[in-house]
Amino acid sequence: MDISLSGGGLSRFDSYSRRARLTPLFLVVAPIVVLCVAVIPQLTAWYRLAPVAVAAGVLFLLDQLGRDRGRKLQDQLWITWGGAPTTVALRHKRNSNDVLRGRRHEQLKALTGRDLPTRRQEQQNPAKADQEYETSVAYLRSRTRNPDEFPLVFKENCNYGFRRNMLGLRPFGLSATLAALIGAAVVLALRGMSVTLISPLGFAAVVLFSLAALVLWRRVVTPDWVKVAADAYADRLLETTETLTPNGP
């Protein structure tokens, strides 16, 4: 579902990249950065930025891992969900709104000139029917890449990409958060031995931030959380059939 450079230009790709790919990475390393800044508050501003610089060096690797894990995870999620949300929305089988599904079939036929499978055809050959639906969806994506013309599609695509990549990076996020909590405990122990210093306020900030991150990664970032955004993207994409014309932009 990732948006491409077509129509939107590099600046819009950068916007997608920041919202869907880089933000999850910053959330992964944030507890470690907070710990480092809390431990060395007496250093100058330049040295305080050292943890951020180190994190930035790691971001490129995590970006690649997050993107790859997100895309691999997407295939697994679609199997669990019974298919891509856009495909599921076009199927006759178990569709909760036959009137809406029928209208979308008619609009897609008008746009593409291709007949979509009937209920009987879908039952006889589900795999071929899904291929027809995926072909129609691919057509819609190619027509709605410009975020200025289709801002809601772009927004929900970013939301879906963000949540999918967050789920892909979940193991790294949990590991970084636990590392920050352990690091804070070690620093506090060393403070008691007069080896290093950390203010009670700094320690409390690290612990509270890390606990909040732990709740985020364990309770919020789930497959169901991703599915909400995936369904919203599917709805916004299919809604464009109401405004697209066969020969229009």
Side-chain angles (χ1 to χ4, degrees):
M1 291 185 185
D2 295 350
I3 212 161
S4 75
L5 296 181
S6 302
L10 183 59
S11 63
R12 278 132 186 150
F13 173 77
D14 290 342
S15 176
Y16 174 86
S17 184
R18 286 194 302 271
R19 294 167 64 177
R21 291 166 58 180
L22 294 183
T23 301
L25 301 180
F26 280 112
L27 291 175
V28 168
V29 301
I32 301 296
V33 173
V34 171
L35 172 64
C36 293
V37 173
V39 169
I40 51 175
Q42 70 276 17
L43 298 182
T44 63
W46 288 106
Y47 286 97
R48 290 184 192 181
L49 292 176
V52 179
V54 172
V58 177
L59 280 180
F60 179 77
L61 174 61
L62 287 178
D63 178 43
Q64 300 302 305
L65 291 174
R67 182 187 62 179
D68 293 344
R69 286 180 64 87
R71 289 181 176 177
K72 183 177 180 180
L73 181 66
Q74 176 174 272
D75 294 336
Q76 299 171 354
L77 289 174
W78 286 359
I79 292 174
T80 302
W81 299 340
T86 44
T87 300
V88 173
L90 291 174
R91 286 177 183 158
H92 297 273
K93 183 180 180 181
R94 293 194 300 272
N95 198 297
S96 60
N97 192 330
D98 287 339
V99 175
L100 180 59
R101 184 261 309 148
R103 178 170 177 79
R104 285 173 172 169
H105 277 216
E106 293 174 358
Q107 291 168 321
L108 283 169
K109 177 182 177 180
L111 288 169
T112 65
R114 297 174 62 91
D115 289 319
L116 289 180
T118 64
R119 184 181 298 273
R120 182 177 180 82
Q121 290 171 333
E122 182 181 298
Q123 292 173 345
Q124 291 176 339
N125 195 336
K128 187 175 186 300
D130 280 355
Q131 291 176 355
E132 291 287 350
Y133 300 144
E134 290 164 5
T135 300
S136 296
V137 170
Y139 170 84
L140 282 183
R141 286 202 303 267
S142 71
R143 292 282 305 274
T144 58
R145 295 192 189 280
N146 191 324
D148 292 331
E149 295 181 9
F150 304 96
L152 294 180
V153 175
F154 178 73
K155 175 184 175 182
E156 296 300 346
N157 189 41
C158 289
N159 291 340
Y160 168 71
F162 168 75
R163 295 191 185 195
R164 182 200 66 187
N165 292 343
M166 282 282 285
L167 188 60
L169 289 169
R170 189 171 185 262
F172 299 101
L174 286 170
S175 298
T177 301
L178 292 174
L181 286 170
I182 294 171
V186 171
V187 169
L188 185 64
L190 292 175
R191 181 176 183 270
M193 300 169 59
S194 300
V195 176
T196 188
L197 295 175
I198 182 173
S199 68
L201 182 61
F203 177 77
V206 173
V207 171
L208 290 175
F209 189 90
S210 296
L211 288 176
L214 192 62
V215 171
L216 170 70
W217 290 111
R218 286 184 60 85
R219 300 293 185 182
V220 178
V221 182
T222 64
D224 287 342
W225 185 61
V226 179
K227 190 174 188 303
V228 171
D231 289 339
Y233 169 77
D235 287 340
R236 299 295 84 77
L237 181 65
L238 292 173
E239 283 174 2
T240 61
T241 58
E242 297 284 352
T243 56
L244 288 172
T245 58
N247 299 318

